[in-house]
Amino acid sequence: MTFGFAPPSTTSLAMSTGGANRHGRLLEPAEWTAAGIPLLRNPREVVSGLHSRHGPVPSTAVIAVLGPEEQLVASASFVQRSVSADGWEYRNALLSRLRRILPHDLRRRTPVRTAVLLYCRDGDERWTEEDGAWMWGLRDACTLHGLRCGAYITLTHGGWQVLGEGRGGRRPCSDSKPRELGDHASEFAPLALHSGGGASEALRRTAAR
């Protein structure tokens, strides 16, 4: 497995020596690969489905929770702009959205659902420190919500890339217009949550997007 590294001038967000690097709030590519992140069976379908639902533009993060059969349970998108790539900040943003769209699974001994993150950004497909901070944030948010940490996917002008797997494609890309869900609708239909109140309502709002 090989990774490209963006030179300092093209790194999405510069980090000072007193920032996230010092606190270890980012994951290097080797650390991410060693973590044993589960592979997506069909990453193209996942990416296309999330792009159709959320139409991300640069600086947009899409957090999605997949069931055991890789069906979409819930998803949410939001724009995250920061002056420094800090995994702590990204973790809090992801955890906040997860809490809005589905109950936690902390009572389970082992996670049965997996969270994946699609991040649309400028630049090319090479790993940046910003990516490392998102990886740290995703892993930590999953732990705190009782989920399995899944793939981290970047969406750039050149296409999409599952970091750590070497799989990617040219479409969709950050410039692509969202397609009609069409055949993806049934495959990415959210599951009904057996919980009342705000969580169910939040899921219905998210599914309608």
Side-chain angles (χ1 to χ4, degrees), residues 32 36-38 113-115 135 138-140 142 147-151:
W32 183 256
I37 305 300
R113 297 186 287 195
T114 303
M135 289 170 166
L138 175 63
R139 186 185 66 175
D140 215 42
C142 287
L147 301 170
R148 186 167 57 166
C149 180

Side-chain angles (χ1 to χ4, degrees), residues 47 51 55-58 120-121 154-160 169-178:
V47 172
H51 184 267
V57 296
C120 183
R121 61 167 173 78
T154 58
L155 190 69
T156 64
H157 178 73
W160 58 272
R170 294 184 178 180
R171 292 288 184 271
C173 66
S174 59
D175 300 327
S176 300
K177 293 183 179 179

Side-chain angles (χ1 to χ4, degrees), residues 93-196:
L94 292 170
L95 191 58
S96 172
R97 270 68 183 189
L98 287 171
R99 287 170 173 167
R100 293 178 191 177
I101 61 177
L102 83 166
H104 66 72
D105 279 346
L106 294 172
R107 292 185 179 87
R108 294 183 179 273
R109 290 189 176 183
T110 57
V112 296
R113 297 186 287 195
T114 303
V116 301
L117 178 61
L118 172 70
Y119 184 57
C120 183
R121 61 167 173 78
D122 295 319
D124 57 30
E125 74 279 2
R126 291 176 293 178
W127 181 90
T128 67
E129 290 180 338
E130 182 183 22
D131 294 325
W134 277 114
M135 289 170 166
W136 189 97
L138 175 63
R139 186 185 66 175
D140 215 42
C142 287
T143 299
L144 295 174
H145 207 66
L147 301 170
R148 186 167 57 166
C149 180
Y152 173 71
I153 307 162
T154 58
L155 190 69
T156 64
H157 178 73
W160 58 272
Q161 176 86 6
V162 185
L163 294 193
E165 295 185 20
R167 292 190 290 176
R170 294 184 178 180
R171 292 288 184 271
C173 66
S174 59
D175 300 327
S176 300
K177 293 183 179 179
R179 291 166 39 189
E180 294 292 331
L181 282 174
D183 295 337
H184 296 301
S186 58
E187 196 168 333
F188 281 86
L191 299 178
L193 294 181
H194 300 292
S195 60

